[in-house]
Each structure stands twice: as structure tokens, then as C-alpha cells.
Amino acid sequence: MDEFKFEVTESESGERIDKFITGCIDSLTRSFIQKMIARERCFVNGKAVKASYRVKEDDVVSFSLPESAEPDIRAEDIPLDILYEDEDVLVVNKPKHMVVHPAPGHYGGTLVNAVMYHCRGSLSGINGVMRPGIVHRIDKDTSGSLIICKNDMAHNSIAAQLKEHSVNRIYHAIVHGVIKEEELTIDAPLGRHPKDRMKMAVVPDGKRAVTHVSVLRRFGKFTYVACRLETGRTHQIRVHMAHIGHPILGDEVYAPGRKSSVTCREGQILHAKTIGFIHPGSGKYIEFEAPLPDEFRHLLDILV
């Protein structure tokens, strides 16, 4: 049984207990946590509480997950936009709003469900039943290229390349404001936001994070950029661009309430355009590009 223990800080005081736990364990959905609380798997200072309980500074929150058999992750016939495929790897263009892998309380409709159907069981098993074939991920509301590993040999090879920062990953984005430099490098460490556990932030004791930015085109109040990842931290590009005062257009987390004459209904305008790596089998470098989604191209058209 998985058990967690957290101490409430001053900034978190007053939050509902279900929201607090969601912020501490971001792989669990709030509805799933509420069900666990109803089953008395949450204690504050040793006493069971309801989901409506509001935490107080210095409260000690204990939360446990029940022991269970491995979840039944089902293959689902969900269309895939395939950029490349062979016996070792599958490269897909993930659409916006699709979650990459299942998590407790959210087992269907993910990229994993789709590739399980497409690959008929031929996926790497290193990351377990929840993440077969998954060696890296992109945010739910970010579209673009993603590598799926069909066997453990391929998984180990791609994982090693990611660790060495040798996978070529270039994202395209539209950001607020006009960037004056043609090229710049953002080298700023990232970690959990000190006041909001659902967000990442530039923090002194965070993990090193480096993003190389190139300007592709400037508009009146926006800039079209390419961002090459040297490292691949959670929300890296979104946080780095917001950190330098140029948050990504449509980013409701890192640019909340940012007024603009341009309306984005589909979340942040961020797309994993290019991915290149050494093929695990042939040893040769291969590279693929995922075409920009319709909303992205439409925004570029109207900004001209």
C-alpha cells in the first residue's frame, strides 16, 4: 500500500483537503482523491476528515492508496497520426487534449490506450503497466511529436539519449510581446512552485533547465519562436518563457488573465515540431517533423 505524509505550510492554509492532496500528488485526479477520502484513507493529525475540511498551518496530512491488482489498461481504437513506424519505434503527432498515459482515476482515452491497440501488445514494459512504450511525455494541452518504444532495447536506447540531452527536440510557440534578440538561451533551474504545488517555477534549488530560443517572426504584440530543449523538465518551455516576460499565448497556468486581442480556445500555443534521435536498431540519426495544428496555423495567418 502506498502511503504519503505532508505537512501544511502557511501559504497552503485554508485550502480544501482534496485540493491540497491533488497539489501534493499530481498524478492523482481530484475526483479519485475525494473517493479515497470518503473511504477514510485520509487523516489529519491522526483523525479522519471529509473532503470539505480546510487544512491549517502545521497540520500533518496522511493519505494512503489501497492495495490492488494491476489496473486493467484497455487497448482502445483511437486514431493515431503516425509520423514514422518500424519494429523498434513509433513516432506520433499527439493532438491537444490527449493525456499521454493513464493515472489513478483516469484510465481511458490516453495515448497509451491508443498505442496498445495499434501495436497489439508490442511495447516496452520498462515503465510498467501504466506507461507501456512511454519513454518521455508532453503536456496534455501541448501537441506534437512523441517517441513510443516497441521493445525494451529501444526504450533503454532512447532513455539514455534523453539523459545525455542528445535527442533533438524543437518546439514552436507564439508568445506574448516582441523579443528583441534573434537568439537567446534561458538557463534557469526549475522546481515545484513554493506556493502552488500544481505549478513549476524558477527556484534557486531546482534542477538545471536550459532552453535555447530562436525568433522565427515578429508581429505587433507577439513573437513566433522555436525553442530547442537542452534539458526536458516538466513545463520547461512554458515556465522559462513566462520567466523572461514572454509567456506562451493561451497558457492559462503561467499567463492567467493575460489580456490579448487574439483569442485561444484550445490552451497554450505550443507544439513539439521536430524530434530527432539515433535509431536504436540501425544506429543512424533520424528526424521527423509534426505539422502545425490548424489553430496554430490560423493564428499565424491572422497575426500577419
Side-chain angles (χ1 to χ4, degrees), residues 7 26 28 68 97 119 124 131 152 154 193 215 223 229-230 236 239 257 275 297 302-303:
E7 186 170 332
D26 59 7
L28 303 180
S68 62
H97 309 312
C119 295
S124 68
R131 305 183 184 188
D152 290 353
H193 194 288
V215 170
T223 308
L229 290 179
E230 183 172 320
Q236 178 173 315
V239 178
I275 194 155
R297 289 188 290 103
I302 66 175
L303 287 172

Side-chain angles (χ1 to χ4, degrees), residues 211-271:
T211 305
H212 303 282
V213 182
S214 300
V215 170
L216 299 177
R217 188 162 187 174
R218 295 180 180 88
F219 304 102
K221 297 181 180 179
F222 304 94
T223 308
Y224 177 28
V225 298
C227 299
R228 181 174 64 83
L229 290 179
E230 183 172 320
T231 58
R233 309 302 180 194
T234 301
H235 298 177
Q236 178 173 315
I237 294 172
R238 298 167 63 191
V239 178
H240 270 175
M241 296 311 297
H243 177 66
I244 65 170
H246 296 283
I248 294 173
L249 180 62
D251 193 333
E252 297 178 356
V253 176
Y254 297 105
R258 185 76 178 243
K259 294 182 179 180
S260 169
S261 58
V262 178
T263 301
C264 300
R265 299 179 180 178
E266 304 295 329
Q268 66 262 12
I269 306 302
L270 179 64
H271 179 70

